[in-house]
Amino acid sequence: MKILVCGKGGCGKSTISTLLAKEISRRGGKVLVIDTDESNFGLHSQLGVEAPQDFMNYFGGKKLLFDQVKTLQKGWKIDEIPEEYLSEKENIKLLAMGKIYDFGEGCACPINALSSKFLEVIELGKNEFLIADTDAGIEHLGRGVDKNCDIIIVVVEPSRESIKLSKKISEMAKAINKDFWYVLNKVDEDTRDILLNSVEKDKVIAVIPRDERIFKNCLSGKELDVELEEVKKMVDVLENLQKKKKSI
Ligand SMILES: Nc1ncnc2c1ncn2[C@@H]1O[C@H](COP(=O)(O)OP(=O)(O)OP(=O)(O)O)[C@@H](O)[C@H]1O
Ligand SMILES: [Mg+2]
């Protein structure tokens, strides 16, 4: 199953991607986490691994990427990704598409093109999950990255902007006939009902509490090794979805 995690900047996309990957890995599932965010550098720390080399280098770097990406053929398997582009821990492999490093180096379009094509061509086996952690906002939707995933998880934090953006994403997901789910994140007693009443309730797959351990781990750049009941339940639902839709 190819899961794309998106939402407003800072809502918790990387945190939810990490919590999901770790729970699936603990259950023995294989997880390929794809970092499609060209701007942020923190996902590898949350997963507790070194930052891998940018996958765009495999295609000759950003300048050649647009043309090279077109040559990617369907049928790539996780085990066929060259090792030097992966960071691994337990059952999790992290692949980072590419980052912007320097002033004036140009836009992230080629990196988005690679993310989109890679999601299309990678073939997952039984008990394999792909989790794509995206950049903030909806550029990835505008560029069609999301069409090649099986489900979209929209992370919503308690803020008006986050709620508004999540509605926009849900409309776009419906327009391309994509299954989508909300994860309400950083929720406490005061904000729980407000958030639940702001989205389609039957589409909420998890309500993740504001958790001091998560906050402190992220602040210190430490690995995120927090086990939450809500995440376990979310993985139960995802595993059931996977079983129901045999194709994913
Ligand atoms: N459930 C939570 N409880 C407490 N803090 C949280 C929780 N989820 C996320 N955070 C905090 O929110 C901040 C942003 O989280 P994260 O980096 O996962 O967001 P993001 O959506 O990936 O951000 P970006 O858009 O910059 O990629 C971090 O400092 C993290 O500690
Ligand atoms: Mg992030």
Side-chain angles (χ1 to χ4, degrees):
M1 177 188 272
K2 301 177 188 175
I3 304 166
L4 185 125
V5 181
C6 61
K8 190 182 99 47
C11 65
K13 298 176 289 296
S14 301
T15 301
I16 299 299
S17 299
T18 301
L19 292 171
L20 272 180
K22 288 199 168 270
E23 177 57 27
I24 294 169
S25 167
R26 271 193 291 272
R27 295 178 184 204
K30 281 191 186 171
V31 193
L32 176 67
V33 179
I34 299 192
D35 185 356
T36 73
D37 185 344
E38 69 284 347
S39 305
N40 283 306
F41 293 83
L43 179 62
H44 71 92
S45 316
Q46 288 182 299
L47 289 166
V49 296
E50 291 296 314
Q53 175 185 180
D54 289 349
F55 192 39
M56 68 179 176
N57 294 345
Y58 178 75
F59 303 92
K62 206 161 146 218
K63 287 209 174 95
L64 300 176
L65 205 47
F66 262 136
D67 288 332
Q68 290 299 316
V69 158
K70 290 178 198 146
T71 66
L72 266 180
Q73 301 285 328
K74 268 199 172 161
W76 273 57
K77 307 274 188 313
I78 293 181
D79 289 341
E80 288 166 1
I81 303 168
E83 257 177 42
E84 59 268 36
Y85 297 96
L86 291 168
S87 292
E88 294 186 40
K89 183 158 190 175
E90 286 132 20
N91 293 326
I92 302 173
K93 294 182 190 221
L94 172 64
L95 181 71
M97 292 300 160
K99 301 282 174 195
I100 304 276
Y101 297 97
D102 295 315
F103 175 79
E105 74 162 79
C107 69
C109 304
I111 301 171
N112 275 320
L114 173 59
S115 301
S116 177
K117 189 73 181 172
F118 187 75
L119 274 173
E120 182 191 331
V121 300
I122 184 91
E123 259 176 28
L124 301 180
K126 247 185 167 186
N127 217 16
E128 287 185 340
F129 284 80
L130 180 154
I131 300 173
D133 178 23
T134 62
D135 48 338
I138 51 174
E139 180 163 356
H140 48 88
L141 277 150
R143 296 202 177 278
V145 175
D146 309 43
K147 71 176 186 292
N148 295 315
C149 65
D150 298 311
I151 68 166
I152 296 177
I153 288 185
V154 191
V155 182
V156 192
E157 65 167 12
S159 78
R160 188 50 35 197
E161 280 310 309
S162 182
I163 293 168
K164 275 169 114 178
L165 187 73
S166 69
K167 284 202 174 129
K168 185 76 215 154
I169 294 174
S170 72
E171 282 163 18
M172 287 171 134
K174 282 176 194 162
I176 55 170
N177 214 8
K178 211 41 87 178
D179 201 6
F180 74 94
W181 299 88
Y182 296 108
V183 169
L184 310 183
N185 188 31
K186 308 187 196 177
V187 173
D188 59 22
E189 273 182 22
D190 293 335
T191 53
R192 187 188 167 88
D193 285 344
I194 301 174
L195 274 190
L196 275 172
N197 291 327
S198 304
V199 298
E200 292 154 79
K201 265 194 204 136
D202 59 335
K203 281 281 167 192
V204 174
I205 197 173
V207 180
I208 309 291
R210 175 176 290 283
D211 189 304
E212 200 60 19
R213 293 168 300 171
I214 295 179
F215 179 74
K216 285 192 178 143
N217 268 37
C218 288
L219 184 61
S220 59
K222 281 193 195 143
E223 180 176 359
L224 191 54
D225 237 343
V226 177
E227 287 188 40
L228 296 175
E229 271 317 302
E230 293 78 2
V231 174
K232 291 184 201 292
K233 284 186 209 149
M234 176 167 35
V235 174
D236 289 343
V237 177
L238 291 171
E239 284 178 345
N240 280 334
L241 277 176
Q242 194 186 33
K243 271 181 218 149
K244 257 194 234 159
K245 302 182 186 180
K246 282 199 183 103
S247 58
I248 59 173

